[in-house]
Amino acid sequence: MAQFPPIIYVRGFAGGTQAIDKGVEDPLYGFNEGSTHVRIGARGIPGFYQFASPLLRLKIDYKYELRVNGSQQRLLQEAATGTLPAQTIWVYPFYDLSASTFDKPPAPYGIEEAAHGLADYMSQVLDKSQDADQVYLVAHSMGGLVCRSATQRFMYQPDLTPSHDQISAGAASVRDPSEDAAPKHRRSHLRTFLSWILPAGMTQHQPEAGTGERPAPGQKKGRRAAASPGVFPVSKVVTYRTPHGGIDIDLGGTIGDWVIETFGPNGSDIFREPGIREYLCPQGMEGFEPEGGWDSRIPYFSALPAVRFLSLMGTNPADYDVTLGWASRAVGVKSDGLVQIRNAYVKGSTRAHIYRYHSGRYDMVNLEEGYQNLQRFLFGNIKVALSLSALDLDTGGGTVWQANVALAIREVPILMHCHSAHTHCPLVLSEDNRDSPLNLTPLVTAFLLPKPAAGPRRCTLDLRVFAVPEEGGFLSFGSHLEQVTDWQDTLLMDVYTKDDGTVGRAPYQWNSTVSGPIVQAGPLKQKLTWAEAPGHTLKASSWSATMDFPPVASKILGKKAHLDVGTAPWN
């Protein structure tokens, strides 16, 4: 695979013909927009901060080419096989056919048509590109469902796809704090932890290379299903606020009128059952019913494992002003204003919570938050996962424990990830399996960009744990101090990499033991002892270690509580 494969952007829902006409006026479908959002300066005064646009940043930072020259589509069609550089950006123009402003009558729009066209488009990009057999997909909102429909329905390859039981178990093996009930499928905690850090394929069934090409169900005759035998044409997928679990839109009044006006009387079905199941299943398999029930967030028919997805989720509904704010009021505070947080991710994927709203000039597509997560997921070479282990929380009297988690990286001007009670999405510290050896609670997964072996990469993880006492399902206000932390500290960690790109030293220290400002902290004092993780091989290395908490934390988290950290190469 090329070091910098082609990137294909897929935009979200535009609306009716008038909105589509407006959308296609932008030759790059809005992905070329940037922002000048405010930052709080040293004296508390909002200031200017400039973000150029994701496409421009990819051109500047990674030397990607964005070829337009009158028409990207015409350029692609007229190019000879293998003559275009792999390091190019393409914007899939599926709305052009449905616009009324060109010289052809507008064609009806549908997710299946767009998904089928995307599968063809990927095949064409790979055919015309040099030394590329896979692409990266980057999608906003509904565009993520177009990507999943393309890969699951129109590019379904049984020889490359794990069994449904394997996919279900792998996706739901860790209790998700956003769920009301624990999943029915579980694996051992150790294997679960490894699934967060190991490269794709080490914890999932992988077929042998050399499988023949075959038309998938629903494919046109003669269409190439994969770029190379045994290689799935998609390497990674990034989705911004995609309603993987649908949109809860069974609403009346003002918001109901807006749904009908925007999506049409039947158009809203594309974001809920059974419509969403129909275009995510291969043709003839729409009635598939897995054990435990259907969950559209699980990629049942995808040859692309869930760990190859990055799900970016917005947590700020207040600033989404569509229909004068009625949309955000209707879907609730645990959303980005349109998509509920619980629906905005692929189960088993890497996830990042970002305090931004669904779409607009200041959404995460057009801001630094989205780009910093995107570039690390696509081009990082090391994957790092941190999890809480061996928690022993006092749950007497109905007390529930929650945590705020925030990840920051030196030289990056934003928070990479933020679980917060303030944004109605704290991390609920699971009490399931409290007596198990690890009692694993995933905190964050991050990716490190390639960097010379000389200097360290400093990152911080802010962790705040607090009790929420309840009586009969209600907050016990007599013993409650809202969001006052029972224990909090900030982990500092310096990651040094070796010449071969693997992690070397990784000293750490808790801020409570550091004298002076964090930015001035010298060499960190505590050292990690790395051990080969189960499944480690010379060709697929993976390492794990543990971090101790400060002694004072044991009064809250338990005497044996610690942080598990795992690293593995990422490509």
Side-chain angles (χ1 to χ4, degrees):
M1 176 180 171
Q3 181 180 5
F4 297 101
I7 297 175
I8 299 176
Y9 272 80
V10 185
R11 73 154 288 161
F13 191 84
T17 300
Q18 184 177 358
I20 290 175
D21 289 345
K22 182 178 180 181
V24 300
E25 288 177 359
D26 188 320
L28 299 174
Y29 277 19
F31 291 116
N32 56 313
E33 294 182 356
S35 59
T36 55
H37 64 272
V38 294
R39 301 278 299 168
I40 301 300
R43 296 176 177 81
I45 302 173
F48 177 89
Y49 183 81
Q50 181 177 1
F51 175 71
S53 84
L55 301 191
L56 185 55
R57 287 291 294 272
L58 287 169
K59 284 171 58 66
I60 294 172
D61 296 345
Y62 295 96
K63 310 305 178 186
Y64 265 83
E65 294 187 26
L66 181 62
R67 298 190 175 191
V68 180
N69 299 337
S71 167
Q72 274 202 325
Q73 185 67 12
R74 181 178 61 81
L75 184 151
L76 191 60
Q77 290 175 347
E78 295 179 354
T81 297
T83 58
L84 297 175
Q87 203 164 336
T88 49
I89 299 172
W90 304 91
V91 179
Y92 174 45
F94 65 99
Y95 272 128
D96 288 4
L97 296 175
S98 301
S100 65
T101 54
F102 298 127
D103 60 352
K104 295 180 181 180
Y109 164 77
I111 275 193
E112 284 201 55
E113 290 76 11
H116 195 287
L118 176 59
D120 285 331
Y121 192 75
M122 284 189 279
S123 180
Q124 191 175 31
V125 167
L126 289 173
D127 180 63
K128 301 301 176 69
S129 300
Q130 303 168 5
D131 302 321
D133 56 6
Q134 290 183 299
V135 301
Y136 291 155
L137 296 178
V138 180
H140 169 241
S141 191
M142 184 205 67
L145 294 176
V146 173
C147 293
R148 289 187 58 201
S149 178
T151 56
Q152 294 177 213
R153 184 170 177 83
F154 297 108
M155 299 168 64
Y156 174 53
Q157 298 183 53
D159 293 339
L160 296 180
T161 305
S163 71
H164 306 314
D165 289 340
Q166 286 175 311
I167 294 176
S168 296
S173 56
V174 178
R175 180 181 180 273
D176 190 323
S178 68
E179 300 297 315
D180 294 328
K184 296 183 178 180
H185 301 285
R186 293 190 184 275
R187 294 178 296 175
S188 71
H189 286 294
L190 181 58
R191 185 166 175 79
T192 295
F193 178 62
L194 293 177
S195 72
W196 282 68
I197 66 170
L198 295 179
M202 292 189 64
T203 59
Q204 303 206 28
H205 165 74
Q206 288 292 305
E208 294 183 1
T211 54
E213 297 179 2
R214 67 175 70 182
Q219 287 183 322
K220 293 181 179 178
K221 183 178 180 181
R223 215 186 77 199
R224 184 172 66 178
S228 301
V231 176
F232 194 64
V234 181
S235 174
K236 299 174 186 176
V237 180
V238 178
T239 64
Y240 294 94
R241 301 171 306 278
T242 290
H244 294 286
I247 299 177
D248 298 336
I249 51 179
D250 294 325
L251 305 161
T254 303
I255 185 61
D257 295 339
W258 170 75
V259 168
I260 296 299
E261 180 181 348
T262 303
F263 302 113
N266 300 316
S268 59
D269 288 342
I270 66 176
F271 298 119
R272 61 183 176 184
E273 297 288 354
I276 196 169
R277 183 189 300 222
E278 182 173 341
Y279 58 74
L280 289 182
C281 292
Q283 194 170 24
M285 296 176 148
E286 294 85 355
F288 166 69
E289 188 67 34
E291 182 182 354
W294 167 270
D295 186 340
S296 62
R297 296 170 297 180
I298 298 176
Y300 296 107
F301 299 96
S302 176
L304 190 68
V307 293
R308 305 296 286 182
F309 284 79
L310 171 62
S311 303
L312 298 173
M313 301 175 287
T315 61
N316 175 18
D319 290 338
Y320 188 61
D321 59 0
V322 172
T323 65
L324 301 177
W326 280 104
S328 62
R329 293 188 187 96
V331 298
V333 294
K334 297 180 68 172
S335 73
D336 61 14
L338 182 60
V339 180
Q340 289 85 0
I341 297 171
R342 66 177 180 272
N343 292 331
Y345 63 91
V346 170
K347 278 196 168 183
S349 67
T350 296
R351 288 175 269 170
H353 292 74
I354 299 175
Y355 187 62
R356 296 296 176 185
Y357 55 96
H358 186 76
S359 61
R361 172 67 71 176
Y362 295 101
D363 69 351
M364 70 181 72
V365 177
N366 300 313
L367 293 175
E368 194 81 52
E369 285 89 334
Y371 178 73
Q372 291 293 345
N373 277 282
L374 176 141
Q375 69 161 338
R376 283 166 170 77
F377 181 76
L378 295 185
F379 308 119
N381 65 333
I382 299 174
K383 183 176 183 178
V384 180
L386 279 82
S387 300
L388 289 167
S389 284
L391 294 178
D392 187 13
L393 301 165
D394 181 3
T395 57
T399 298
V400 175
W401 291 87
Q402 299 179 352
N404 291 348
V405 182
L407 175 66
I409 299 176
R410 186 162 55 190
E411 299 179 357
V412 176
I414 50 87
L415 286 176
M416 296 289 297
H417 168 79
C418 184
H419 260 305
S420 172
H422 171 70
T423 58
H424 304 282
C425 60
L427 180 67
V428 178
L429 302 180
S430 173
E431 290 139 26
D432 295 341
N433 307 314
R434 287 182 61 210
D435 298 326
S436 66
L438 289 180
N439 189 23
L440 189 70
T441 302
L443 288 178
V444 66
T445 301
F447 303 87
L448 304 181
L449 291 170
K451 188 174 182 179
R457 291 176 258 198
R458 174 163 292 183
C459 58
T460 65
L461 183 73
D462 189 68
L463 185 59
R464 307 184 182 199
V465 177
F466 49 93
V468 184
E470 291 183 343
E471 292 181 4
F474 296 94
L475 286 176
S476 176
F477 293 107
S479 58
H480 183 70
L481 293 171
E482 178 62 17
Q483 296 184 36
V484 174
T485 54
D486 293 278
W487 173 79
Q488 68 181 79
D489 213 330
T490 301
L491 174 70
L492 284 67
M493 186 175 181
D494 285 342
V495 179
Y496 293 81
T497 50
K498 301 177 182 178
D499 292 334
D500 61 2
T502 59
V503 173
R505 294 187 298 120
Y508 71 97
Q509 196 168 343
W510 290 94
N511 184 45
S512 59
T513 66
V514 173
S515 299
I518 289 179
V519 293
Q520 297 177 11
L524 304 181
K525 297 178 180 179
Q526 293 180 272
K527 297 180 180 180
L528 287 180
T529 301
W530 293 104
E532 294 179 359
H536 169 92
T537 65
L538 292 177
K539 292 184 177 180
S541 61
S542 57
W543 303 83
S544 62
T546 61
M547 294 180 178
D548 294 327
F549 285 110
V552 67
S554 64
K555 297 291 185 179
I556 301 296
L557 304 179
K559 294 181 180 180
K560 297 182 180 180
H562 60 271
L563 279 176
D564 279 326
V565 56
T567 70
W570 176 251
N571 54 57

